[in-house]
Amino acid sequence: MQSAPPRNNQLISLLLIGLLFSIFGFVTWLNGTLIKFLQTACELNHQQASLVTFAFFISYFVMAIPSSGILQRTGFKRGMSLGLLIMAIGCLIFLPAAWQRNYTLFLTGLFTQGLGLAILQTASNPYVTIIGPIESAAKRISLMGICNKLAGALGALLLARLLLAPLDELQEDIAAATDVALRNNLLHALTQKIVLPYSVMAGFLALVAAGIWRSPLPDLKDDNTDTSVQDVPARPLSSYTYLFLGALAIFAYVGVEVIAGDYIIQYGTYLGNETGDENLKQFANYLTSVTLFFMLAGYGLGVLLIPKVISQEQALRINVICSLILTVIILTTTGKTSVFSLALLGFFHAIMWPAIWPMSIKGLGRHTKTGSALLVMAIAGGAVIPWFLGMLTDAYGGDIQKALWVMIPCYLYILFFAVRGYRVGELRIES
């Protein structure tokens, strides 16, 4: 493995990587706000609105494997700058999309952001290990996770204030407008609210790209082999059944994570309308941040308990069972109880990715890089499962609560993986 950079560069490197992980979280968790905003501004049904997350997360499926080839040509540090610039271009696409109130252009911008983010993540993650001593790598990984979720929570709060507060103010006027020209004028005025924040984001991303390009970060060498684990004996990738079952678990997990984080705003608004709870409707705009703060709490508890008190396999099983119980509560109650239960899923989701990932790639040896790319492709669950939720919501006449049953088979499959699936095809060496 490449040696750590000189000590005087380690702090700067850590701060830069922390900034990048904050950008991951900030950009990713804006989607919950955008779903509600664009559904009104572009007059969409639930299935059409779900294309916000579809366009963003399907980019991981598209770029997971090409990212490696790109980084081999550019190097890791320049690859990070390239990813940031592509994300900046995605933000700039929002400007003509807003001026024309063109939903297809908005989706193009989201897809472009996702492409850049996929490259950026592929390039940035290895640095967490090499920018300091290997024995303290776990602490750095924990710190990066906190940067990610905290930035996501704060970003969702900020965008809700900038976009959803004006939307709420205009909502009654838009609904009451019978004149087509007046309605279009109101919607166009609303859509222009997105121009300033995304212009600022584009400029910021471009500045960070330039800073990374000139930074003291070491440029990693992309080794084709993983010498930390050897195949005994050599096996084809297809024989590691648990890897493919793990990829499906990642697919299911990202799907329910996106529902709990990005669709909770829609859900809170829906229940507020159904129950006539004005406080719930107003608070709904900030529910994505509530979910992420719960995730931060769950993440911190996991760092304290795993593996000193409980194994990652046991933690995954417990958290999936708790998520199933909460889903039943979500489906059978109403108002604040149901919404709070959906937000609380964030606490139990926190451990799932950190547990499923190592359980899926353990013992892959020379196949580790390919196996990791397969797991990244499975992030497309954040595209497909919420899209299915949107389709069901429209089929149920806009009743998103009924459609949330889609989470149950996802959790049941993750539970299967946690109990049995992670051992299927595992190599057992006799002593």
Side-chain angles (χ1 to χ4, degrees):
M1 177 176 287
Q2 185 168 327
S3 60
R7 185 173 296 275
N8 61 337
N9 286 338
Q10 286 183 17
L11 179 59
I12 295 175
S13 297
L14 184 63
L15 290 174
L16 287 172
I17 298 302
L19 174 62
L20 293 178
F21 272 77
S22 297
I23 290 173
F24 300 163
F26 187 92
V27 174
T28 299
W29 292 105
L30 296 181
N31 291 331
T33 303
L34 285 175
I35 290 168
K36 180 177 178 179
F37 180 81
L38 293 177
Q39 185 168 17
T40 298
C42 297
E43 301 179 287
L44 311 171
N45 61 32
H46 290 280
Q47 187 175 6
Q48 291 169 331
S50 70
L51 291 177
V52 166
T53 48
F54 187 93
F56 187 85
F57 285 100
I58 202 66
S59 59
Y60 282 90
F61 182 86
V62 173
M63 282 302 295
I65 293 177
S67 290
S68 296
I70 291 172
L71 294 175
Q72 286 175 2
R73 293 177 65 89
T74 64
F76 277 69
K77 188 165 71 172
R78 291 183 177 182
M80 287 192 292
S81 294
L82 175 63
L84 286 163
L85 287 175
I86 293 173
M87 291 172 66
I89 292 171
C91 291
L92 289 176
I93 293 174
F94 269 50
L95 307 189
W99 296 328
Q100 300 174 35
R101 201 159 59 90
N102 187 316
Y103 188 49
T104 301
L105 272 180
F106 278 119
L107 295 179
T108 303
L110 285 164
F111 180 75
T112 305
Q113 288 176 35
L115 292 178
L117 191 56
I119 297 172
L120 185 61
Q121 292 229 42
T122 304
S124 300
N125 280 288
Y127 278 94
V128 184
T129 300
I130 68 96
I131 58 177
I134 188 64
E135 58 269 19
S136 61
K139 292 182 180 179
R140 294 193 296 277
I141 292 170
S142 300
L143 180 60
M144 295 305 107
I146 292 171
C147 290
N148 181 281
K149 296 300 184 294
L150 183 59
L154 296 177
L157 280 172
L158 177 62
L159 204 66
R161 175 66 64 180
L162 293 174
L163 298 185
L164 298 188
L167 185 152
D168 290 340
E169 293 172 3
L170 291 174
Q171 194 85 52
E172 291 185 7
D173 291 337
I174 293 171
T178 56
D179 181 74
V180 174
L182 175 60
R183 181 180 179 84
N184 286 335
N185 287 337
L186 289 170
L187 291 173
H188 277 289
L190 175 65
T191 311
Q192 303 315 300
K193 301 291 184 182
I194 210 169
V195 170
L196 178 60
Y198 274 83
S199 297
V200 172
M201 282 176 57
F204 177 74
L205 291 169
L207 286 174
V208 176
I212 293 294
W213 186 285
R214 299 176 60 84
S215 73
L217 281 173
D219 210 352
L220 298 184
K221 293 175 181 174
D222 187 21
D223 297 327
N224 291 323
T225 59
D226 174 15
T227 58
S228 62
V229 182
Q230 297 296 329
D231 288 328
V232 186
R235 302 168 59 189
L237 182 65
S238 59
S239 67
Y240 294 89
T241 307
Y242 61 86
L243 167 65
F244 299 94
L245 296 176
L248 189 54
I250 290 286
F251 183 93
Y253 162 69
V254 177
V256 292
E257 181 194 48
V258 169
I259 289 173
D262 285 342
Y263 287 82
I264 190 169
I265 293 177
Q266 280 187 302
Y267 187 55
T269 302
Y270 166 77
L271 286 184
N273 288 329
E274 288 294 299
T275 59
D277 189 335
E278 292 298 324
N279 290 330
L280 179 56
K281 285 198 293 183
Q282 292 177 6
F283 186 64
N285 295 341
Y286 306 100
L287 286 171
T288 290
S289 296
V290 175
T291 302
L292 290 177
F293 282 124
F294 274 127
M295 287 191 78
L296 274 171
Y299 194 87
L301 186 63
V303 170
L304 291 174
L305 298 182
I306 300 171
K308 295 179 181 179
V309 178
I310 188 173
S311 71
Q312 61 188 13
E313 293 84 2
Q314 292 172 321
L316 181 59
R317 292 168 201 148
I318 292 170
N319 281 272
V320 175
I321 290 171
C322 290
S323 297
L324 278 167
I325 294 171
L326 279 175
T327 304
V328 173
I329 295 173
I330 292 165
L331 293 170
T332 56
T333 61
T334 189
K336 292 184 177 68
T337 300
S338 186
V339 172
F340 179 81
S341 298
L342 186 59
L344 189 56
L345 283 175
F347 180 85
F348 297 103
H349 284 170
I351 193 57
M352 292 188 188
W353 176 284
I356 295 171
W357 189 281
M359 290 164 69
S360 303
I361 64 171
K362 66 183 185 301
L364 294 185
R366 60 188 174 88
H367 297 302
T368 299
K369 183 177 176 182
T370 305
S372 296
L374 180 64
L375 296 182
V376 171
M377 293 174 72
I379 293 175
V384 176
I385 294 172
W387 175 83
F388 186 58
L389 173 72
M391 182 181 70
L392 286 175
T393 302
D394 286 331
Y396 290 137
D399 189 339
I400 191 172
Q401 184 174 28
K402 286 184 179 179
L404 287 173
W405 67 260
V406 73
M407 294 192 293
I408 290 180
C410 294
Y411 289 128
L412 288 175
Y413 177 78
I414 298 170
L415 183 60
F416 158 75
F417 178 77
V419 173
R420 171 62 183 159
Y422 77 101
R423 291 187 176 276
V424 179
E426 184 179 46
L427 178 65
R428 293 180 172 82
I429 302 175
E430 300 295 336
S431 58

